[in-house]
Amino acid sequence: MPKTGRNDPCTCGSGKKYKHCCLDKDRAAQLVPAAAKLAAMARQMDDYQTALLESQALDAASNAVVDLVHAGRLEEAEHAARELLEHYPEVHDGHDRLGMVYQARGQLREAADCYRNVIEIARANPEDYDPEFMHTFNELIAQLEARATEAERGGQRVDGFG
């Protein structure tokens, strides 16, 4: 079908020139799909930006717990780890960081339980985790359990990171 020229009679049958009748309406109709596509792209960019900011906040909070553990500020570290669990229950960081706190305190069985929770989250989301990730935590749990058993037999307190 040939394109209607601006000075051609309007296709609606009004007798007016196309430019004085339906041209603007037809152009607007052509822009609707493009506008919808732009709006969808803008929403995607907003979603991406929100996810990026959320990821950065999670990383900062998680790293803060590590810093507190290394500084020996275990009460603060435990509080921060529990906040991670509250704000980000779907990711492993809170369990991992709480495990670090327990490990630093020598509460090895509690640490192992936290690390088991890390593995559960990884198993529930295999697309987000490398298999080596779970292997590393399984080895850590085995070491902690062995050290806890040894300590219980000897009736002694254990240094969590030994």
Side-chain angles (χ1 to χ4, degrees):
M1 181 168 156
K3 183 177 174 185
T4 305
R6 291 173 43 86
N7 291 315
D8 291 342
C10 189
T11 57
C12 74
S14 67
K16 297 179 182 179
K17 288 185 177 182
Y18 180 60
K19 67 181 178 185
H20 293 297
C21 191
C22 293
L23 177 65
D24 290 339
K25 178 183 68 144
D26 290 348
R27 282 186 178 164
Q30 289 174 348
L31 292 177
V32 168
K37 186 174 181 178
L38 281 174
M41 289 172 62
R43 283 191 300 276
Q44 285 179 328
M45 289 299 294
D46 286 346
D47 291 348
Y48 175 76
Q49 185 175 16
T50 299
L52 179 62
L53 292 173
E54 189 71 18
S55 176
Q56 290 171 339
L58 169 62
D59 288 346
S62 185
N63 291 336
V65 176
V66 174
D67 293 343
L68 289 168
V69 169
H70 290 158
R73 297 165 51 189
L74 300 181
E75 291 299 319
E76 292 173 70
E78 180 178 359
H79 179 74
R82 291 189 184 284
E83 283 186 356
L84 274 173
L85 286 169
E86 182 179 322
H87 291 101
Y88 306 98
E90 71 284 354
V91 297
H92 75 272
D93 292 60
H95 296 287
D96 184 5
R97 300 312 181 230
L98 188 57
M100 289 178 69
V101 171
Y102 285 137
Q103 193 173 348
R105 288 181 177 153
Q107 296 173 279
L108 305 181
R109 295 216 189 273
E110 291 85 349
D113 288 340
C114 288
Y115 296 142
R116 283 185 189 92
N117 290 331
V118 169
I119 292 171
E120 285 179 33
I121 289 172
R123 280 190 183 131
N125 303 284
E127 67 281 357
D128 295 334
Y129 293 92
D130 185 315
E132 186 64 27
F133 179 87
M134 288 187 277
H135 178 72
T136 300
F137 276 94
N138 278 319
E139 284 184 350
L140 179 57
I141 291 167
Q143 291 170 4
L144 292 172
E145 291 291 349
R147 288 177 46 218
T149 300
E150 181 182 316
E152 289 166 357
R153 286 186 185 144
Q156 57 187 340
R157 178 172 163 74
V158 205
D159 176 14
F161 288 104

